[in-house]
Amino acid sequence: MSSQQRTITTLSNFFIYNSNFGPREGEEEKKIIYYFPPNTPIDNQIKNVGLSEAVVKFTETFSPKRPCESLHTQKTRQQYIQAEKDFWVVMTVTIPYSEKTKDGQMYHEYHEEDVQDSVFQAVLAHAYKLFKLFMGTFTSIVENNGLDQLKHRLGHFYSRYLATLRLNMSDILEIHNGIQFLPLDKNTYLRIQCFINLIEATFSQIKYAAFLYNDQLVWSGLEQDDMRILYKYLTTSLFPSSLDTELKEPPKNLAASQSAAAHYGKFVTGPPDLNDATKLGRVPKIYVNTDSQSDEFHLVVYRALSATVCLMVDGTTLPSIEWYRNIDSFIGPQLSSLASDISEQYNTRKTSSSSSQEFKFIYFNQMNLAQKTTVHNRKTASATISPEIVRLIADINADFTRSGEDGETLMKTMSDCWVVGKKSDQREFYVVINQKNANLIEINEEVKRLCAAHFTNIFFLD
């Protein structure tokens, strides 16, 4: 028997439907609000939507309060979420397989364990929440602008977003969808908070603000659920693309300016050149607090060195070039100074924490969404340990979620690697330890030692 390398998980289809839009026979096409790939024959679209609709309605018989979340077949996995009342979002992904030969015959061996429901349910939920952040809710768009406008916005957004999905690299980070915070000393943190308060007091159009250094959050005035979606967009999309643009530009020459207000600040979203009033640049709109009144803002992002300020500006009117100039002259010098001070602390902490570690860990705090990981590469977000162990961590997380109780799980893999999961007081801690000859008691003591050494201010139940 021989085998070849396995395939990867890919997107088979993605669609959104509302059964109320085509309730009668012959009107099935009207239910479909968005379908990817768009070149799929309409008969196939109707068949796939009809199957999903039937599965959801059939399973409601057995569980009226908890709708169906996934459908398993040999070759595909289908995930469902009811994003809003009567609006269903569905995603189908392929199951990876290996081509094997036995007795001269080739066949496919499918690896369903590679596709974990909890991970891809989180991927699907984020796909909806990101749309909601930039476009608003499905219901509000239909009520204010009509169904055709909703279809247009869905096509505009998802035709670009779905192409960026890296499904084969999705793991427990999708489930947590946490935020990496930057720890600072008390004085620096208070300076940043005073700086943000001063900005909001000086410019009445600014309703909320957030402060980041590199890809780590320092302070935010947004609600947690809105900030976690915005944070992922900033760190995985906006910042990398703006950095690529900056690297192609000549550096700003401060020595050439004699002005005391000379600084390193520039707009990431907003006017590329403050001397050119005809070009105000691209400023995305975002919708926050959508569970209540749904506020609309312009997202103005300003950066100096490695420090970034995100300003949520009243969305009723577009800021003028004069407003941008005032922002630049007010924020630029102070942000440049703050960035330099933070840099000293950041580099000191980075040096002290970069010592070689014989273990890898993931930590997540559900209360403030704080997340730390040494399992993933910070730049690529890809795992630095084997896919099997990453999946094992997600399985332990799924067990914790199902039980709903605090607990601890210790497992030893076939490669003699230990994986430990702890959940206590809405905090989760997963650690991978390579100690082949260690026994259960020794590993338990090692985990306690690691918690004491690296999480001294965090309480874990024994």
Side-chain angles (χ1 to χ4, degrees), residues 13 17 30 34 67 74 136 188 212 214 228 275 278 337 351 395 403 419:
N13 59 48
Y17 72 89
K30 294 180 180 178
Y34 176 76
Q74 182 188 28
T188 308
L212 297 92
N214 282 341
R228 77 196 307 184
N275 295 320
T278 61
S337 174
T351 303
D395 285 337
S403 70
V419 181

Side-chain angles (χ1 to χ4, degrees), residues 145-414:
N145 307 101
L147 181 58
D148 287 341
Q149 182 62 26
L150 174 61
K151 290 181 177 181
H152 171 74
R153 292 191 189 186
L154 288 169
H156 175 79
F157 180 84
Y158 283 116
S159 62
R160 292 162 174 78
Y161 175 74
L162 295 177
T164 68
L165 289 179
R166 301 187 297 174
L167 297 177
N168 61 308
M169 296 177 66
S170 299
D171 56 30
I172 190 168
L173 293 192
E174 308 292 341
I175 301 172
H176 288 157
N177 196 18
I179 296 171
Q180 296 226 19
F181 287 91
L182 178 66
L184 294 170
D185 65 51
K186 190 185 300 182
N187 289 338
T188 308
Y189 181 79
L190 289 174
R191 279 180 62 197
I192 291 170
Q193 194 167 12
C194 290
F195 175 53
I196 295 295
N197 291 341
L198 190 59
I199 293 172
E200 292 179 351
T202 307
F203 300 91
S204 59
Q205 283 178 282
I206 298 172
K207 305 303 180 185
Y208 300 101
F211 189 105
L212 297 92
Y213 186 84
N214 282 341
D215 289 347
Q216 294 173 281
L217 183 66
V218 177
W219 193 91
S220 168
L222 279 177
E223 291 291 330
Q224 280 189 351
D225 284 341
D226 288 324
M227 190 61 225
R228 77 196 307 184
I229 304 301
L230 179 59
Y231 175 82
K232 188 164 185 180
Y233 163 71
L234 293 172
T235 55
T236 62
S237 180
L238 183 64
F239 289 173
S241 61
S242 65
L243 186 61
D244 290 341
T245 304
E246 286 178 20
L247 291 174
K248 296 172 185 175
E249 295 176 353
K252 195 169 182 177
N253 185 5
L254 290 185
S257 173
Q258 299 300 317
S259 170
H263 57 79
Y264 288 95
K266 64 174 292 184
F267 288 99
V268 178
T269 63
D273 183 0
L274 290 171
N275 295 320
D276 187 351
T278 61
K279 295 179 181 177
L280 292 181
R282 187 183 68 87
V283 181
K285 269 191 177 183
I286 62 170
Y287 297 80
V288 302
N289 302 324
T290 48
D291 293 335
S292 52
Q293 72 270 24
S294 188
D295 299 322
E296 182 180 336
F297 298 110
H298 297 292
L299 177 62
V300 176
V301 180
Y302 188 89
R303 174 185 286 157
L305 301 174
S306 296
T308 306
V309 175
C310 300
L311 308 173
M312 274 57 84
V313 184
D314 183 12
T316 54
T317 56
L318 198 64
S320 65
I321 189 66
E322 196 57 41
W323 184 88
Y324 284 113
R325 287 170 180 159
N326 291 336
I327 285 286
D328 179 65
S329 60
F330 184 85
I331 294 180
Q334 296 186 67
L335 188 59
S336 299
S337 174
L338 271 172
S340 299
D341 294 343
I342 296 171
S343 176
E344 294 179 15
Q345 286 189 52
Y346 180 81
N347 292 330
T348 302
R349 287 179 180 273
K350 195 173 180 182
T351 303
S352 62
S353 65
S354 62
S355 55
S356 60
Q357 297 173 335
E358 61 189 35
F359 66 94
K360 302 280 188 178
F361 73 85
I362 297 174
Y363 166 78
F364 177 67
N365 184 341
Q366 183 63 51
M367 288 181 283
N368 65 356
L369 306 181
Q371 176 179 285
K372 293 181 181 179
T373 175
T374 59
V375 167
H376 298 80
N377 182 304
R378 279 199 63 191
K379 290 185 178 179
T380 63
S382 57
T384 56
I385 58 177
S386 71
E388 291 76 18
I389 294 178
V390 176
R391 286 196 293 271
L392 190 56
I393 292 173
D395 285 337
I396 296 173
N397 168 267
D399 287 342
F400 286 152
T401 303
R402 270 193 296 270
S403 70
E405 297 178 359
D406 293 349
E408 184 172 9
T409 301
L410 293 88
M411 305 183 75
K412 191 176 185 181
T413 68
M414 296 291 286

Side-chain angles (χ1 to χ4, degrees), residues 7-261:
T7 60
I8 62 172
T9 304
T10 57
L11 182 65
S12 179
N13 59 48
F14 179 97
F15 53 87
I16 300 167
Y17 72 89
N18 186 325
S19 300
N20 294 338
F21 294 159
R24 288 187 290 273
E25 189 174 350
E27 295 182 341
E28 290 83 2
E29 186 179 345
K30 294 180 180 178
K31 299 176 184 178
I32 307 171
I33 306 169
Y34 176 76
Y35 197 100
F36 176 89
N39 57 357
T40 305
I42 190 63
D43 288 343
N44 290 358
Q45 294 185 28
I46 292 172
K47 183 178 72 172
N48 290 334
V49 170
L51 174 62
S52 299
E53 193 177 13
V55 169
V56 168
K57 286 187 176 179
F58 175 72
T59 53
E60 278 179 354
T61 308
F62 306 98
S63 180
K65 294 183 179 179
R66 186 180 177 186
C68 179
E69 293 181 349
S70 68
L71 174 67
H72 294 210
T73 69
Q74 182 188 28
K75 298 180 180 180
T76 64
R77 184 73 53 85
Q78 195 164 63
Q79 303 289 151
Y80 312 91
I81 60 166
Q82 186 175 13
E84 299 172 28
K85 189 177 185 301
D86 300 322
F87 286 94
W88 286 86
V89 185
V90 183
M91 177 177 72
T92 310
V93 300
T94 60
I95 303 291
Y97 64 85
S98 302
E99 288 186 347
K100 294 196 171 185
T101 305
K102 184 178 182 181
D103 300 330
Q105 297 292 319
M106 183 175 287
Y107 69 97
H108 290 169
E109 182 178 82
Y110 288 89
H111 307 282
E112 63 173 350
E113 70 278 1
D114 286 12
V115 179
Q116 296 170 291
D117 283 345
S118 57
V119 171
F120 286 90
Q121 190 74 9
V123 170
L124 183 58
H126 181 74
Y128 163 70
K129 289 176 181 176
L130 195 64
F131 174 88
K132 185 173 69 169
L133 178 72
F134 286 105
M135 300 290 179
T137 62
F138 298 161
T139 305
S140 64
I141 296 171
V142 172
E143 289 176 351
N144 298 327
N145 307 101
L147 181 58
D148 287 341
Q149 182 62 26
L150 174 61
K151 290 181 177 181
H152 171 74
R153 292 191 189 186
L154 288 169
H156 175 79
F157 180 84
Y158 283 116
S159 62
R160 292 162 174 78
Y161 175 74
L162 295 177
T164 68
L165 289 179
R166 301 187 297 174
L167 297 177
N168 61 308
M169 296 177 66
S170 299
D171 56 30
I172 190 168
L173 293 192
E174 308 292 341
I175 301 172
H176 288 157
N177 196 18
I179 296 171
Q180 296 226 19
F181 287 91
L182 178 66
L184 294 170
D185 65 51
K186 190 185 300 182
N187 289 338
T188 308
Y189 181 79
L190 289 174
R191 279 180 62 197
I192 291 170
Q193 194 167 12
C194 290
F195 175 53
I196 295 295
N197 291 341
L198 190 59
I199 293 172
E200 292 179 351
T202 307
F203 300 91
S204 59
Q205 283 178 282
I206 298 172
K207 305 303 180 185
Y208 300 101
F211 189 105
L212 297 92
Y213 186 84
N214 282 341
D215 289 347
Q216 294 173 281
L217 183 66
V218 177
W219 193 91
S220 168
L222 279 177
E223 291 291 330
Q224 280 189 351
D225 284 341
D226 288 324
M227 190 61 225
R228 77 196 307 184
I229 304 301
L230 179 59
Y231 175 82
K232 188 164 185 180
Y233 163 71
L234 293 172
T235 55
T236 62
S237 180
L238 183 64
F239 289 173
S241 61
S242 65
L243 186 61
D244 290 341
T245 304
E246 286 178 20
L247 291 174
K248 296 172 185 175
E249 295 176 353
K252 195 169 182 177
N253 185 5
L254 290 185
S257 173
Q258 299 300 317
S259 170

